[in-house]
Amino acid sequence: MKKTSAKQMFYYRTAIALFIVVFAFMYHVSFLKYASANGQSTEDSVVLNTTDPNSASHPSSQDLETSGDDGSAEKAIDDDDEEEEKEAYKEEKKEKEKEKEKEKEKEKEKEKEKKEKASKAEKELAKRNKKIEKALNQYTKGLTKALEKVKGTPAESVIIALQKATMQEIDNLLSLLQNDEKNGQALIESLDDETLDQLLTQKVYIESIDHSLKEQVKLMQRLVDIYEKHGKKQAALAAQQKIISENPNDIDGYQKLNDLLKQNINKRNIEVYVDGEPLSFDVAPRIENGRTLAPIRAISEALGLDVRYDASTQTITIQNGDRTVILKVNQDTAQVNGQNVKLDVPAKIEKGRTLVPLRFLSQSLGADIEWFPEGQLIAIMQK
């Protein structure tokens, strides 16, 4: 075996030392990379390595406790978020339910309005049919009387032609009457006011009812003028009442009626019209301190009001939709929807009938009222 020389031993030792240095350097570089990737500083890594070589793989109990606290905090945050989401969902659900309720209410209101309109239309149709039936009955009576009165006179041919007259032929007849044509004049002069109303007025009304209101009113106004021209005041009055009945909110129509009424010097009672229809009273309306008192029963029925009377307290409660009026007999204060209102004249009882101040009542319940003093005429018109 060859003996190793001192020079060779030096080389061996130097190689081994270089190997150890390179290995240590590479190990250190690898460790630094690992520490950097795990968020640790170089200094911390060194300390960990120097103080406890097992610390990297075996955390302390304090580290475990800290790690556990972090998990609880995260869980608490998650729970809070979940509760907030639940509350938000509940609120959203409530809002949706409210919207649904609002939609249901709107649908109910629409259905209610639809039914009210249908009911109103049905009532209007029934009212119209009733008017036509009444006009036909009057016309039949008037025709029979007129033919008896004018038999063998020039007016007889006019009446016979009138039976089957069209709208155009009626228009032509009115033109003849306005121009004092002989046969037409003979017809007017040979018949009394009642028969003229039953015959001519009702015929014009029946034939014009299917035409526009404007055309109907225009024809009836011509008839009023013809009656006035020939001194047929009662026939003119009846024809004007027909006009108002068909056009109840026309102030000019009431003014014309007022002009006709004031010509009747024998007229004494106040006349009250509600929506174009005259009212009948068993106790006549009267004026006291410049205010008109009228029986509440007839007024309420005409206006479609709900009226209750408490005899023990002499209290009258009148309701019209969302409006409520409360009056007490002989007291000058009333209530309108809970608000006190001073009266110029209190309600009274006369001959077993309760009389109330007409203007106050009408306006409190949302109606318009007009007073025509010359003809002692009151017109109440619902809005």
Side-chain angles (χ1 to χ4, degrees), residues 175-359:
S175 296
L176 293 175
L177 293 173
Q178 285 176 315
N179 296 327
D180 292 329
E181 193 272 337
K182 184 178 179 182
N183 289 349
Q185 189 173 359
L187 172 66
I188 297 294
E189 292 177 354
S190 61
L191 299 177
D192 58 45
D193 288 50
E194 183 182 17
T195 307
L196 279 171
D197 174 55
Q198 291 176 329
L199 176 70
L200 191 53
T201 304
Q202 303 307 321
K203 179 64 175 178
V204 171
Y205 172 74
I206 293 165
E207 294 301 327
S208 65
I209 198 167
D210 288 327
H211 291 72
S212 69
L213 179 62
K214 186 177 179 180
E215 289 180 290
Q216 187 182 25
V217 169
K218 186 177 179 180
L219 276 177
M220 296 297 289
Q221 285 175 338
R222 289 172 65 190
L223 196 55
V224 170
D225 293 340
I226 290 167
Y227 289 151
E228 279 196 286
K229 183 178 179 179
H230 291 86
K232 302 294 183 178
K233 293 179 181 179
Q234 291 304 312
L237 184 61
Q240 187 61 36
Q241 288 173 328
K242 277 286 185 187
I243 292 174
I244 289 173
S245 178
E246 294 302 305
N247 195 19
N249 294 318
D250 181 25
I251 297 297
D252 292 337
Y254 288 108
Q255 185 58 62
K256 180 63 178 178
L257 181 63
N258 174 64
D259 294 340
L260 293 168
L261 287 171
K262 71 181 181 182
Q263 296 175 27
N264 187 352
I265 59 174
N266 296 321
K267 180 183 175 301
R268 293 183 180 180
N269 292 336
I270 296 170
E271 292 202 20
V272 179
Y273 282 71
V274 174
D275 290 337
E277 301 298 330
L279 301 188
S280 298
F281 302 98
D282 49 6
V283 175
R286 60 188 176 84
I287 296 175
E288 186 176 311
N289 294 335
R291 299 299 180 196
T292 303
L293 294 169
I296 182 59
R297 183 63 57 190
I299 301 295
S300 62
E301 288 176 357
L303 289 172
L305 308 177
D306 178 23
V307 181
R308 296 185 301 276
Y309 179 68
D310 186 346
S312 61
T313 59
Q314 291 192 315
T315 302
I316 310 140
T317 303
I318 308 156
Q319 193 160 7
N320 184 24
D322 59 352
R323 298 179 185 234
T324 302
V325 176
I326 299 174
L327 304 98
K328 285 192 175 184
V329 175
N330 296 324
Q331 289 194 13
D332 60 1
T333 301
Q335 282 190 348
V336 179
N337 285 349
Q339 299 295 318
N340 289 336
V341 179
K342 189 76 173 176
L343 299 175
D344 296 326
V345 180
K348 299 181 180 298
I349 294 178
E350 186 175 311
K351 297 179 182 178
R353 296 298 182 191
T354 305
L355 277 63
V356 296
L358 206 50
R359 180 172 293 278

Side-chain angles (χ1 to χ4, degrees), residues 15 27 53 57 61-62 74 79 82 91 94 97-98 178 189 192 238 267 269 320 336 343 365:
Y27 177 81
S57 57
S61 60
Q62 185 178 356
E74 289 178 4
D79 289 344
E82 187 176 349
E91 289 299 321
K94 284 181 182 179
E97 288 175 354
K98 285 180 181 179
Q178 285 176 315
E189 292 177 354
D192 58 45
K267 180 183 175 301
N269 292 336
N320 184 24
V336 179
L343 299 175
L365 295 171

Side-chain angles (χ1 to χ4, degrees), residues 131-192:
K131 284 182 178 181
I132 294 173
E133 184 181 357
K134 183 179 178 181
L136 284 169
N137 289 335
Q138 289 183 331
Y139 171 71
T140 302
K141 291 177 182 178
L143 179 62
T144 302
K145 287 195 296 183
L147 286 172
E148 289 176 357
K149 288 184 178 182
V150 301
K151 190 174 182 179
T153 68
E156 184 178 13
S157 61
V158 178
I159 294 174
I160 292 172
L162 185 63
Q163 294 181 62
K164 297 181 179 181
T166 63
M167 187 72 167
Q168 184 59 53
E169 289 169 337
I170 289 174
D171 185 73
N172 294 338
L173 174 60
L174 293 182
S175 296
L176 293 175
L177 293 173
Q178 285 176 315
N179 296 327
D180 292 329
E181 193 272 337
K182 184 178 179 182
N183 289 349
Q185 189 173 359
L187 172 66
I188 297 294
E189 292 177 354
S190 61
L191 299 177
D192 58 45

